[in-house]
């Protein structure tokens, strides 16, 4: 701020007094620069006025409060060593930008023959990073009428991506109410967090889902995953199988019960009890019926 005011003051001073410039004054075309990762970007440090022939030019990188040299003693150093060049008059050209280049860069020019012999300019560079394939979670099977939530997450993209969801390759509008096709669907999409939430799943919501994470650097999407929607029938099937389990338990309990009775009534006939099934398998059902009847009567209990 103070520097800007000083610069303004000098501009004002020299334009009013018509004295030839004796100050080094810098200017940039962009104080906030966005670049896509792996592309080339030029940070401009233009010299508005200078009287010194060989000014000392330096570039520094300021990241999280740590200052390091980028251009010092006429050469590029640090992590930009083989990726940057100085271009006339004092611009910094960064080749193949990396996400780690996101920082503030300060161009400093010292001109000893000028009255005002120093100026600097701060430029902030943000390197956009294309999202990688997001992690998506889609439930394999849900029951009609229940709620369901699908998730999508991507952590690399910069700035943070916006999420959208696709159902059978068709993008789901943010609000189903705005679409003829999805008007009856109960979903909501949170494009910041990647959540796709169904309040009440319908049969029509079944299908393949995938999510897309997108920012200014590009987009990526996860492979489609199938979500099946079952009728309430599944409940019936479940109850039937549950009933079967109960029946099996009853039979088991019943058999045990009957067996117990058998044990109590004829403890000394234990040996004969083993032969009873063999008798049941025989052609003569006359005696066996009695045994069956006993079993049946114990079912009723
Ligand atoms: C750019 O940098 C990345 C690493 O950040 C490297 O993998 C890639 O090969 C580089 N590309 C070129 C053209 O130098
Ligand atoms: C939505 O529901 C209404 C009323 O139940 C029905 O008339 C209409 O056909 C449905 N639309 C779609 C696209 O399913």
């Amino acid at each position: 701020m103070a520097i800007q005011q000083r610069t303004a003051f000098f501009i004002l001073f020299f334009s009013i007094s018509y004295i030839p410039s004796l100050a080094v004054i810098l200017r940039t075309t962009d104080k906030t620069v966005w670049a896509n990762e792996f592309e080339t970007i030029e940070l401009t440090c233009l010299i508005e006025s200078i009287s010194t022939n060989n000014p000392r030019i330096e570039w520094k990188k300021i990241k999280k409060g740590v200052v390091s040299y980028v251009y010092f003693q006429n050469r590029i150093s640090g992590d930009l060593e083989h990726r940057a060049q100085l271009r006339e008059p004092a611009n910094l050209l960064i080749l193949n930008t990396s996400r780690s280049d996101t920082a503030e860069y300060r161009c400093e020019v010292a001109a000893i023959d000028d009255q005002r012999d120093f100026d600097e300019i701060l430029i902030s560079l943000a390197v956009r990073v294309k999202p990688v394939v997001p992690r998506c979670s889609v439930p394999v099977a849900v029951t009609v009428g229940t709620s369901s939530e699908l998730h999508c997450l991507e952590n690399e993209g910069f700035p943070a991506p916006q999420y959208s969801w696709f159902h059978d390759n068709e993008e789901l509008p943010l609000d189903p109410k705005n679409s003829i096709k999805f008007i009856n669907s109960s979903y909501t999409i949170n494009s910041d967090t990647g959540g796709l939430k169904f309040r009440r799943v319908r049969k029509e919501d079944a299908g393949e889902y995938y999510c897309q994470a997108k920012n200014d650097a590009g987009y990526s999407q996860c492979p489609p995953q199938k979500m099946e929607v079952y009728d309430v029938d599944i409940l019936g099937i479940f109850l039937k199988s549950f009933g079967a389990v109960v029946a099996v338990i009853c039979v088991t309990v019943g058999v045990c019960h009957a067996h117990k009775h058998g044990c109590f009534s004829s403890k000394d006939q234990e040996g004969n009890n083993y032969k009873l099934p063999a008798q049941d398998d025989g052609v003569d059902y006359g005696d066996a019926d009695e045994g069956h009847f006993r079993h049946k009567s114990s079912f009723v209990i």
Side-chain angles (χ1 to χ4, degrees), residues 37-38 83 95-99:
E37 194 173 37
F38 310 125
R83 278 197 297 126
L95 309 160
N96 191 16
T97 54
S98 131
R99 59 193 72 185

Side-chain angles (χ1 to χ4, degrees), residues 49-162:
S49 91
I50 197 158
S51 303
T52 307
N53 276 333
N54 275 310
R56 194 189 75 215
I57 297 166
E58 284 176 8
W59 276 92
K60 285 168 188 160
K61 176 179 178 178
I62 304 120
K63 185 157 186 151
K64 290 173 186 155
V66 179
V67 182
S68 59
Y69 280 110
V70 170
Y71 185 76
F72 179 66
Q73 290 181 339
N74 299 322
R75 56 182 292 268
I76 302 283
S77 59
D79 55 0
L80 281 174
E81 197 168 351
H82 302 292
R83 278 197 297 126
Q85 297 166 10
L86 195 80
R87 297 242 284 214
E88 289 285 322
N91 294 355
L92 184 69
L93 183 75
I94 302 176
L95 309 160
N96 191 16
T97 54
S98 131
R99 59 193 72 185
S100 64
D101 297 339
T102 294
E104 297 205 294
Y105 292 83
R106 195 165 63 213
C107 172
E108 302 176 357
V109 176
I112 48 162
D113 296 339
D114 284 74
Q115 229 162 45
R116 188 204 169 206
D117 61 2
F118 182 82
D119 197 12
E120 60 183 24
I121 206 155
L122 195 65
I123 298 167
S124 93
L125 171 66
V127 178
R128 294 186 197 98
V129 179
K130 181 181 178 269
V132 295
V133 173
R135 277 178 289 130
C136 301
S137 78
V138 176
V140 175
V142 289
T143 309
V144 163
T146 60
S147 68
S148 174
E149 194 161 1
L150 288 69
H151 302 276
C152 182
L153 188 66
E154 196 280 335
N155 281 326
E156 299 284 317
F158 181 80
Q162 290 283 300

